[in-house]
Amino acid sequence: FFFFQAEDGIRDFCLSRGLGDVYKRQQHTSDVVSLAVCEEDGNFFLSGSTDLTTKIWDVRMKNPALNSYEGHESAINSVAFLPKSTKLFATGSEDSTVRLYDLRMQKALQVFRDKSNQGESYDPIYSITFSRSGRLLFAGSENQQLKVWDVLGNGEILKHINLGHSKLIKKVAISADGFALASADPNGKIIISQPCLLYTSDAADDLLCVDLGGRRIFKKK
C-alpha cells in the first residue's frame, strides 16, 4: 500500500487491485498536508490537515478513520509515529507547537514550545521526526534552526542547532541507523549532519547530548 491526498479525499493504491477510494467518506474538511505510516504496523497511518485535526486510519476497517484529534490552533504540517510504537505520535503545526498524543486519549500528553524566541510568538513548525529510540524530538521551523526537545521533559526546548540553512527548514528526517539527520530548505539545499549522537539506544538516554558535527551540503544547480 501507499497513500496520497487527492482532491476528493485520501486514496490508497495497492498493486494487487489498483486505485482505491475507501477514505473518501471520512475525509478531512480541508487540505491534507501531512501523512505518516506506522513502521511497526503498516495498517495504521496518520493524516494532518489544515482543518486543525489529525486522524488515525486503519486500512483493514470498513470505516477506516478510527479517531480524530484536536488541539492545534492552525494547520498541522507534519505528523510522525514514535519509533517502535503503535500508540504514540506527534504533530507539528503552524501554531508554533508540537504536541504528543496517545491514540487512546483525546487530549495531548505534552505540548512542546520554544519560549526562547525573544518575543517572537510566531514560528511555524514545518517538519518533525524522532530519534531512533524515541527520546528526542526534532523540528524544522521558520527560524532556520533545528529545534530539539526531550520527549520525557517538561515541554521546554532542549537545544537549538544552527545547521547552516539561510531559509526556513522545510523537512527533517533521521536515517534508519539513527546516526545521520537530513534537513532541507526552499532554496534547494539539503544538509546531511553526521556523525550524530541521537539517543540511538536507551543506554544513551542519560548522556543528554546532541552532537551534529560533520555536515555535507547538497544544493540544486
Side-chain angles (χ1 to χ4, degrees):
F1 279 101
F2 65 83
F3 307 94
F4 64 94
Q5 167 66 13
E7 290 185 358
D8 57 353
I10 296 176
R11 291 175 177 260
D12 68 42
F13 183 87
C14 179
L15 293 178
S16 63
R17 64 170 172 77
L19 183 66
D21 197 14
V22 296
Y23 314 112
K24 181 176 179 180
R25 291 168 297 167
Q26 298 173 299
Q27 67 181 355
H28 288 276
T29 59
S30 188
D31 292 349
V32 173
V33 291
S34 54
L35 294 170
V37 177
C38 179
E39 65 179 34
E40 286 296 293
D41 186 342
N43 292 303
F44 296 101
F45 74 94
L46 296 165
S47 59
S49 171
T50 56
D51 66 7
L52 315 188
T53 68
T54 300
K55 293 182 183 293
I56 176 69
W57 308 76
D58 185 342
V59 299
R60 299 165 296 186
M61 306 296 289
K62 182 178 180 180
N63 297 312
L66 301 181
N67 209 346
S68 183
Y69 302 86
E70 300 178 352
H72 283 292
E73 299 176 358
S74 192
I76 299 169
N77 292 325
S78 186
V79 292
F81 277 98
L82 193 80
K84 302 178 182 179
S85 174
T86 60
K87 304 297 183 185
L88 300 177
F89 69 92
T91 57
S93 170
E94 292 267 351
D95 67 11
S96 308
T97 68
V98 178
R99 294 172 183 260
L100 181 69
Y101 290 88
D102 186 315
L103 296 180
R104 298 159 292 190
M105 303 175 65
Q106 286 299 117
K107 292 185 177 181
L109 299 176
Q110 182 64 272
V111 179
F112 300 98
R113 306 177 187 274
D114 182 3
K115 296 181 179 179
S116 61
N117 283 343
Q118 298 178 348
E120 297 179 9
S121 59
Y122 184 68
D123 185 20
I125 303 294
Y126 293 109
S127 181
I128 59 174
T129 191
F130 287 99
S131 61
R132 296 307 301 166
S133 74
R135 179 67 186 271
L136 292 181
L137 174 61
F138 301 91
S141 70
E142 186 85 29
N143 75 354
Q144 307 169 17
Q145 292 185 324
L146 183 73
K147 299 176 186 289
V148 187
W149 285 278
D150 182 351
V151 172
L152 299 181
N154 61 2
E156 298 298 319
I157 196 81
L158 178 65
K159 189 171 185 178
H160 297 92
I161 301 175
N162 186 352
L163 298 176
H165 290 283
S166 58
K167 279 198 171 183
L168 60 90
I169 299 177
K170 194 69 173 179
K171 183 67 177 178
V172 292
I174 292 287
S175 64
D177 63 7
F179 281 94
L181 181 142
S183 55
D185 64 37
N187 279 339
K189 181 187 291 184
I190 300 173
I191 297 177
I192 309 296
S193 302
Q194 60 181 18
C196 309
L197 178 59
L198 302 179
Y199 292 109
T200 54
S201 68
D202 293 337
D205 286 347
D206 292 333
L207 297 179
L208 288 177
C209 177
V210 182
D211 177 15
L212 295 176
R215 295 177 187 135
R216 299 168 63 194
I217 299 175
F218 302 87
K219 191 172 183 179
K220 66 179 182 181
K221 296 182 180 180

